[in-house]
Amino acid sequence: MTTAPPAPPVATARNPIGAHVPVAGRGLAGTGLAYARRVGAETVQVFVANPRGWATPAGNPAQDEEFRIACAEEGVPAWVHAPYLINFGSDNPATRERSAASLRHSLRRGHAIGALGVVLHTGSAVGTAPGGGSRRAEAMAQVRADVRPLLDELDALGEDAPWLLLEPTAGQGSSLCSRLEELAEYVEALDAHPKVGVCLDTCHAFAAGHDLAVPGGVTAALDALASAAGPGRLRLIHANDSEDVVGARKDRHANIGAGMIGAEPFRELFEHPETAGVPLLVETPDRKHGGDGTGHAMDIAVLKDLRERAAVRGRGGSRTGRSRTGGSGGPRTAVRDHG
């Protein structure tokens, strides 16, 4: 498996912690970064289009520039989440065409606002094969045919182009990639392109059957991810607890410590070699706490406490993560210090 290049050296905290932030109203900087400051976020994720629609709005160049500059000045790495409707495994040609247009839009808008990566759900094999049965093989061929040209376009944007981050799903329906082991086939379908990375959603992984709640469960999942995708491809973590039991294949997020994973396993995320420099973002429920950011602020505080506890353990020489073998050598340089 081709190893991805190291992350750019843009800061100091081993794992910046933040949230998916709203942008409606006063835009990316006026609404999004104001929310980030209120909840104590060190990194942010945004939508640049309606997540449940096909529209591809042009955006406001002045607001894009304001956001990009503010993120750089405040040391807040930004990420974009692509719309949920995108599915390159669909048997509907119109869906595939719209998916390509939508992902292209997210990648270009992500570049315009200085985002480090664009998160893409890995999709599902919709429909039935001509002879009956699964369309998985055909769907994976479609992924290659449709996404590989977009990666060529990404190359044309230059060295500061955002990464395309594959986010395994919770395993609903005919998922193309929910178990972390399945990342190997997906990355290979895209020729192990050096700008293809992974976004790990802890709720999704738990729902897909990776038991993160048991001691060492997070470490085992991270080992499986690195083995399948290749060292250095993990670029972002969606830190979400789960309302449902392990293996339920249900994507229902819970606040950190209030779900079936529990708070303590999240500490392991700060101790594994593959997570060095990887930001954590919460997409946990906030509306049940008033919808004003209270829930996100609470979860960010919990994660920051776990990060500090992991750092103390590390200074004491006690680590649970295994050593990384092969790949790019030492841990990547850290990046600076949805609901």
Side-chain angles (χ1 to χ4, degrees):
M1 183 70 66
T2 302
T3 301
V10 291
T12 55
R14 186 190 193 275
N15 300 95
I17 297 168
H20 185 101
V21 302
V23 298
R26 294 184 294 122
L28 291 165
T31 299
L33 289 184
Y35 183 95
R37 297 182 193 106
R38 189 164 70 249
V39 301
E42 301 163 337
T43 182
V44 297
Q45 178 178 272
V46 299
F47 291 124
V48 292
N50 181 348
R52 293 178 174 82
W54 292 115
T56 54
N60 183 312
Q63 290 185 3
D64 290 352
E65 183 72 359
E66 179 186 7
F67 180 77
R68 186 186 63 77
I69 291 174
C71 286
E73 290 179 344
E74 298 180 29
V76 177
W79 311 83
V80 168
H81 199 304
Y84 302 134
L85 294 181
I86 294 175
N87 184 17
F88 294 103
S90 174
D91 61 350
N92 185 333
T95 297
R96 291 173 58 193
E97 290 176 11
R98 290 170 177 164
S99 294
S102 181
L103 181 55
R104 177 182 291 110
H105 171 263
S106 288
L107 290 168
R108 291 188 176 276
R109 291 280 287 114
H111 184 244
I113 68 173
L116 299 184
V118 173
V119 178
L120 172 71
H121 286 180
T122 46
S124 59
V126 175
T128 305
S134 171
R135 285 191 66 255
R136 181 180 178 83
E138 293 87 345
M140 289 304 302
Q142 290 172 192
V143 168
R144 175 178 174 80
D146 296 344
V147 179
R148 193 61 184 82
L150 297 178
L151 293 171
D152 291 337
E153 295 179 20
L154 199 62
D155 290 338
L157 294 178
E159 292 184 2
D160 62 343
W163 284 65
L164 175 62
L165 302 183
L166 307 175
E167 180 179 0
T169 59
Q172 315 96 311
S174 301
S175 173
L176 290 175
C177 181
S178 56
R179 292 285 302 181
L180 298 177
E181 296 87 352
E182 294 170 332
L183 281 165
E185 181 182 8
Y186 215 108
V187 171
E188 190 61 33
L190 299 178
D191 296 328
H193 189 281
K195 275 285 189 175
V196 169
V198 176
C199 172
L200 170 67
D201 186 307
T202 53
C203 176
H204 292 182
F206 190 70
H210 296 278
D211 194 350
L212 309 183
V214 300
V218 170
T219 298
L222 290 168
D223 287 345
L225 186 155
S227 177
R233 289 199 185 269
L234 178 62
R235 294 283 147 168
L236 186 64
I237 295 170
H238 287 167
N240 303 306
D241 211 325
S242 172
E243 288 193 7
D244 296 287
V245 298
V246 62
R249 297 189 177 186
K250 294 181 179 179
D251 184 13
R252 298 202 301 167
H253 298 183
N255 295 101
I256 306 298
M260 302 302 294
I261 298 175
E264 187 61 20
F266 286 86
R267 180 179 49 76
E268 287 187 53
L269 291 172
F270 301 108
E271 299 180 335
H272 196 285
E274 281 299 317
T275 66
V278 177
L280 280 69
L281 289 158
V282 298
E283 300 172 319
T284 49
D286 189 66
R287 289 186 179 88
K288 66 171 59 177
H289 300 282
D292 60 356
T294 299
H296 286 164
M298 173 182 68
D299 288 334
I300 288 171
V302 170
L303 289 172
K304 286 181 177 179
D305 179 66
L306 291 168
R307 180 176 66 185
E308 177 56 28
R309 287 170 52 197
V312 170
R313 283 168 56 91
R315 289 193 291 269
S318 175
R319 297 179 61 89
T320 59
R322 303 177 191 173
S323 298
R324 178 163 65 186
T325 58
S328 57
R332 289 160 286 156
T333 304
V335 195
R336 270 196 270 216
D337 268 282
H338 136 320

